[in-house]
Amino acid sequence: MKNSKRIFLVIGLALSIILLVGCGKQSKAASETGTVTIGSHTSDLQIWEHIAKSPQAKKLNLKIKTKVISDGAQLNAATSDGQVDVNAFQSYSYFEAYNKQNPKGKLAALGTTYLEPMGIYSKKYKKINDIPDGTTFAIPNDPANTSRALKLLESAGLVTLKKSFNAFSDTKDIKSNPKNLKFKEIDDGTGPRVLNDVPVVLIGNSIALAGGLHVLQDSIYHEKIDQSTKVNVNVLATAQKNKNNPTFKKLVELYHDKEIQKYISKKYYGTKVDVNKSISYLNK
């Protein structure tokens, strides 16, 4: 009996080793196929669903799967822990704010994608000058977009910000508020829905598009659509350990393909300006 137990133990160990080796080979084979899971939402998700089916992706031997996660912080966390390989949704300022708040789960930027404007929307007022004193403004409640919204209000001549104002600043860093505006912080994704309840709402373009709003036609004021504000450029992000992954880096090349850009420009009315720059460009 003792010899029989030893034989079964040896056989069991041998099978375990074979299975482990086999799993290792399968894992390696999966990475070599170029399969990448991209997490995204709203218009960015639509773009990557299109890219996934494109001949350009096939030419680069990339198999792309998309995963919907609508909350930005959750999407970044999912990318950090490997549930998602790469995500496509955030501006560089949002990316930096997330990394500062999550030092143990930092992400790396693979490359730039586009720049799109944040807009000021209202169903009650048609011009910035029509807005009376004491009006309530709804602004995004995540750090990067809060500061971005306030800078847009300064650009519109409604507030003045402190010299120390940065990507992590909020309403406490307003230097002067001559019209005594009131601020209501909301989840960024709810912007289009609260337009019926709040006189003025600041909404990022991807969220606006998803809500049926065209920033160039429907906003009463919006950011300039150019590359003057580097922190608002969107990026592809991945976990730090994957920052040099050659397969993931192919996604940046794929996004900037001429045919892909023609599709994006036509579908989103030119509101997503292609920005094909190195990450070092954003840090200058």
Side-chain angles (χ1 to χ4, degrees):
M1 287 295 290
K2 287 183 179 179
N3 289 335
S4 297
K5 287 181 179 179
R6 286 175 182 172
I7 290 170
F8 283 122
L9 181 60
V10 171
I11 292 172
L13 287 170
L15 287 172
S16 297
I17 292 169
I18 290 169
L19 286 170
L20 285 170
V21 171
C23 287
K25 287 181 178 178
Q26 288 175 0
S27 177
K28 185 178 180 182
S31 66
E32 287 174 349
T33 62
T35 302
V36 184
T37 299
I38 297 181
S40 194
H41 58 265
T42 61
S43 58
D44 285 302
L45 178 68
Q46 295 168 2
I47 288 171
W48 284 99
E49 286 176 338
H50 171 82
I51 291 175
K53 300 173 184 176
S54 71
Q56 288 80 17
K58 187 175 181 180
K59 187 176 180 180
L60 288 175
N61 194 33
L62 281 170
K63 293 181 180 179
I64 298 170
K65 293 181 180 179
T66 56
K67 186 172 184 177
V68 183
I69 301 178
S70 58
D71 180 85
Q74 289 179 13
L75 180 47
N76 273 341
T79 306
S80 179
D81 65 24
Q83 295 177 50
V84 169
D85 293 318
V86 176
N87 69 48
F89 80 98
Q90 64 192 319
S91 67
Y92 192 64
S93 59
Y94 187 101
F95 166 87
E96 285 191 311
Y98 179 84
N99 276 351
K100 185 172 183 178
Q101 293 181 340
N102 298 273
K104 293 184 179 180
K106 282 187 175 183
L107 302 175
L110 291 165
T112 61
T113 51
Y114 63 83
L115 175 68
E116 61 183 351
M118 175 178 280
I120 300 175
Y121 297 83
S122 177
K123 287 190 174 182
K124 194 170 183 180
Y125 309 111
K126 293 185 177 181
K127 297 178 181 179
I128 289 292
N129 292 337
D130 295 339
I131 299 173
D133 291 3
T135 297
T136 297
F137 281 62
I139 60 175
N141 64 0
D142 63 86
N145 283 321
T146 298
S147 62
R148 182 174 180 177
L150 293 174
K151 290 190 77 171
L152 180 57
L153 293 179
E154 182 177 54
S155 173
L158 294 170
V159 299
T160 302
L161 304 175
K162 296 177 181 178
K163 287 184 178 180
S164 58
F165 193 90
N166 57 53
F168 310 106
S169 295
D170 55 26
T171 53
K172 295 190 294 293
D173 296 299
I174 294 175
K175 181 180 179 181
S176 64
N177 181 7
K179 295 177 75 70
N180 296 310
L181 305 179
K182 298 175 182 177
F183 300 100
K184 179 180 181 179
E185 292 193 1
I186 61 169
D187 179 84
D188 194 23
T190 66
R193 296 200 297 275
V194 303
L195 264 173
N196 293 320
D197 305 313
V198 183
V200 185
V201 185
L202 281 78
I203 311 172
N205 188 52
S206 290
I207 302 298
L209 285 168
L213 298 170
H214 187 320
V215 66
L216 304 182
Q217 298 174 3
D218 300 321
S219 69
I220 60 174
Y221 189 86
H222 58 75
E223 293 171 332
K224 291 181 179 179
I225 308 181
D226 58 32
Q227 296 181 25
S228 61
T229 310
K230 296 178 183 178
V231 292
N232 293 339
V233 172
N234 275 43
V235 296
L236 294 180
T238 188
Q240 277 280 354
K241 65 180 180 180
N242 297 324
K243 65 180 181 180
N244 295 316
N245 185 302
T247 298
F248 296 174
K249 285 187 174 183
K250 284 184 182 179
L251 295 171
V252 181
E253 175 188 348
L254 181 58
Y255 179 86
H256 295 293
D257 179 90
K258 289 182 179 179
E259 292 304 313
I260 298 296
Q261 284 304 309
K262 284 181 182 179
Y263 162 82
I264 294 172
S265 180
K266 182 177 180 180
K267 185 171 180 63
Y268 300 105
Y269 316 104
T271 61
K272 293 179 182 286
V273 179
D274 184 35
V275 179
N276 190 3
K277 298 283 188 180
S278 65
I279 295 301
S280 60
Y281 161 81
L282 300 177
N283 295 320
K284 291 178 181 178

